[in-house]
Amino acid sequence: MARTRRTGPVADARRPATNDGANDAPDPPAAAGPRAASDGAVSVENGGETAASSRSTRTKAITGAQKEALQKLFSAKFDGWRSTSLPRARVDPELDELLAEHGLTRQQASTQLRNFKKVSRPGLVAVRVDADADEIAPKLENRLGGVDTVVDDVLESFPGQAF
């Protein structure tokens, strides 16, 4: 098993102190490995090339203008789509163009489509009651009263010494 030489202040504290001068050599420059930038991104130098990658993959919040543009497109095109889901890339050129123009992801558009369906199709989320209050009240009382009856029967079936 090969040993890896640690560098930096933490590694210096872990090294045993010797008087033979073996640990007196300066540490190699840290530029060869990853280093944290001030904005939280990690910069890695590899053969003279620098690649920056952000640790956060979260997208920015969608603006009101972007929401309105999507709502307008959904109003015009939703009923013509083959399914109620967002079409795949390159199926609807207008949608692809709008997403590219506004810098939106398909996930953001999909979320806005879900919101659009909730607002524009209230029948899908509405609760419909086909009875009046006089018919509903006895049914609720029977269901709620049934629980009390079962609990009372179970408690009565135990001998008094069990509690």
Side-chain angles (χ1 to χ4, degrees), residues 101-138:
E101 179 183 324
H102 288 282
L104 298 172
T105 64
R106 297 195 74 75
Q107 179 63 42
Q108 288 172 317
S110 180
T111 301
Q112 291 305 312
L113 177 60
R114 184 186 66 221
N115 295 341
F116 169 79
K117 290 189 286 189
K118 285 181 181 178
V119 171
S120 67
R121 310 279 199 262
L124 297 176
V125 294
V127 176
R128 206 172 106 196
V129 179
D130 291 334
D132 61 355
D134 294 333
E135 294 175 19
I136 295 173

Side-chain angles (χ1 to χ4, degrees), residues 47-103:
E49 297 179 18
T50 303
S53 64
S54 177
R55 290 183 181 176
S56 174
T57 58
R58 186 173 178 164
T59 56
K60 291 185 178 181
I62 189 168
T63 65
Q66 292 169 330
K67 288 180 186 179
E68 289 176 18
L70 284 170
Q71 299 292 330
K72 184 177 179 184
L73 179 80
F74 295 153
S75 296
K77 307 275 282 186
F78 179 72
D79 291 326
W81 288 341
R82 294 172 71 184
S83 73
T84 59
S85 301
L86 192 70
R88 293 180 183 229
R90 296 181 299 279
V91 171
D92 188 343
E94 281 185 61
L95 175 64
D96 295 337
E97 182 181 320
L98 181 77
L99 295 178
E101 179 183 324
H102 288 282

